[in-house]
Amino acid sequence: MERIVYLDGEFIKETEAKVSIFDRGFLFGDAVYEVTAVINGKLVDNEGHMIRLQRSCSELQIALPATLEQITAIQKKLIEVNQLNEGGIYLQVSRGSAGDRDFGYPENVTPTLVLFTQARNLLNSPKAVKGMKVITTEDIRWKRRDIKTVGLLAPCMAKQGALDKQVDDAWLIEDGYITEGSSNNAYIVTNDGVLITRPLSNDILHGITRKALLELAEQAQIQVEERPFTAEEAYQADEAFVSSATTFVWPVVEIDGKTIGTGKPGSVATKLRDIYIELATQNAE
Ligand SMILES: Cc1ncc(COP(=O)(O)O)c(C=O)c1O
C-alpha cells in the first residue's frame, strides 16, 4: 500500500513527495531526525523525542518549522491515515534549500519537515527472543554524537560490516571503550548484577529509551553504574543488551564470537524489556 507522508504542510502520497536537490539535508547532511515507536496506534515516549528534537535543532541553529504540539498532531494524523498499528514514525527537519550550495548557514530559508510511517513488528521481534550477535569496530563518527543528525554514514558502514560478517550489529569502540551500538545504546550486566552503561556526554546519543530504562532499573532495585566499559569487560559479563526507540531492549548473546553469559537472553534484559513495554504501552498517547 502506498503510504501517505507529510512534507512541508501537506499530506501526500509517498511517490509525490519531492524535495529540492539544493536541500541542505541532501547536500551536507544538514538535518536532524527522530524516530518514535508506535504501539497499538499510539506514540511511545514521544515527549522525550520532541524535547531532543528541539535540542538538536537549537544546537545547529535550525528553526523548527512547526511547534512541538503541531508536530505531534502531524504524527497522529499520519498514524490515522496510514492505519499504523505497530512500527515507527520517522521525522526529519533539514535546514532547507537556499537554491545553491554554500557552506555557511543561509539566512531566510524555510526548514524542510518530512515525516513518514514505517510498519514494523516491535513487540514480537525474533531478536528479542533469540538475542543478537555483535562485533566491535572502531568508532569513526564525529564528536557531536549527542546531536541526532542524519549524517549516519559511519554507523551505516559499521552495520554493513557486521552484516557482512553474518552478525546483527556493531558496537563502536573509542580509546579502548565501547561508546554505543550503531543505532542503539549499549549495556552490560556484571557477574554481581550491576548494570553498566556509558555516561551521557557528546560521545553518545542521549537515548530516550536509555533514560526510561535507567529509571526503571532503579525502581526495580537493580544497581546502575554509569561508566565506560571495555570489550574485554563485556566478554566476561553475565549479560549484554542494547536499547532504542524501536527495539526497546534487545539482548546481546555474542560479542566478537564470544558467548555472553549462557548465550541466551539474560534475566535483567528480559525484565527491563517487559517492564518498559508494559509501561510504554500504558503511557502511549
Ligand atoms: C547512535 C544511537 N544511539 C542510541 C540510540 C537510541 O536512542 P533512542 O532510545 O532515543 O531511540 C540511537 C537511536 O537511533 C542511535 O542512533
Side-chain angles (χ1 to χ4, degrees):
M1 191 182 90
E2 199 179 353
R3 275 171 294 194
I4 300 294
V5 303
Y6 176 91
L7 171 62
D8 293 339
E10 288 188 293
F11 291 88
I12 45 179
K13 288 183 185 162
E14 61 186 32
T15 47
E16 286 169 10
K18 305 271 192 303
V19 175
S20 164
I21 62 158
F22 296 114
D23 192 277
R24 288 179 61 101
F26 177 63
L27 293 178
F28 296 109
D30 187 357
V32 301
Y33 76 107
E34 281 297 330
V35 178
T36 302
V38 173
I39 303 180
N40 299 328
K42 293 191 169 163
L43 298 161
V44 174
D45 253 344
N46 196 47
E47 203 185 325
H49 290 284
M50 290 297 104
I51 291 167
R52 187 173 62 190
L53 171 69
Q54 202 165 39
R55 177 177 182 274
S56 295
C57 283
S58 111
E59 289 297 303
L60 297 174
Q61 300 167 42
I62 294 176
L64 261 178
T67 64
L68 298 183
E69 291 72 28
Q70 286 166 337
I71 292 176
T72 302
I74 296 165
Q75 291 172 310
K76 289 183 176 171
K77 174 113 192 249
L78 277 184
I79 292 174
E80 187 192 321
V81 294
N82 290 292
Q83 296 175 16
L84 180 68
N85 182 51
E86 197 171 317
I89 296 208
Y90 178 86
L91 178 172
Q92 177 171 322
V93 185
S94 80
R95 193 178 306 277
S97 159
D100 205 346
R101 182 179 181 274
D102 286 299
F103 278 67
Y105 298 168
E107 283 173 14
N108 305 320
V109 282
T110 308
T112 307
L113 178 59
V114 171
L115 288 94
F116 56 83
T117 53
Q118 294 184 295
R120 295 275 187 277
N121 195 351
L122 307 186
L123 296 177
N124 296 313
S125 154
K127 298 251 175 53
V129 181
K130 279 182 62 186
M132 321 161 71
K133 296 179 179 178
V134 305
I135 49 166
T136 58
T137 188
E138 197 192 333
D139 193 338
I140 62 167
R141 298 174 301 164
W142 75 329
K143 303 274 181 206
R144 289 301 308 273
R145 301 156 194 160
D146 57 308
I147 308 175
K148 197 166 168 70
T149 81
V150 302
L152 294 173
L153 192 51
C156 288
M157 290 167 73
K159 175 83 177 184
Q160 189 56 43
L163 296 176
D164 290 346
K165 294 202 162 107
Q166 326 300 331
V167 296
D168 303 297
D169 202 359
W171 276 16
L172 310 174
I173 298 202
E174 185 169 64
D175 300 331
Y177 292 93
I178 310 280
T179 49
E180 56 190 331
S182 70
S183 60
N184 41 57
N185 290 116
Y187 310 75
I188 56 171
V189 181
T190 62
N191 302 338
D192 42 8
V194 182
L195 176 57
I196 297 175
T197 195
R198 195 176 173 105
L200 296 182
S201 70
N202 292 354
D203 300 341
I204 61 169
L205 186 73
H206 301 190
I208 303 306
T209 322
R210 176 190 182 281
K211 181 169 188 276
L213 287 180
L214 293 189
E215 283 167 18
L216 292 177
E218 298 226 342
Q219 284 164 23
Q221 321 266 302
I222 297 165
Q223 196 188 326
V224 175
E225 257 178 46
E226 290 183 69
R227 65 164 175 84
F229 59 92
T230 62
E232 284 68 30
E233 204 177 352
Y235 302 154
Q236 305 300 325
D238 252 20
E239 289 186 40
F241 63 91
V242 298
S243 76
S244 74
T246 51
T247 61
F248 308 134
V249 173
W250 275 357
V252 170
V253 295
E254 188 189 292
I255 304 175
D256 292 335
K258 294 166 184 67
T259 302
I260 306 305
T262 61
K264 299 233 160 60
S267 59
V268 173
T270 307
K271 182 172 183 180
L272 285 176
R273 179 179 171 85
D274 290 349
I275 44 181
Y276 178 77
I277 288 176
E278 196 188 326
L279 215 80
T281 315
Q282 269 171 29
N283 298 339
E285 25 170 358

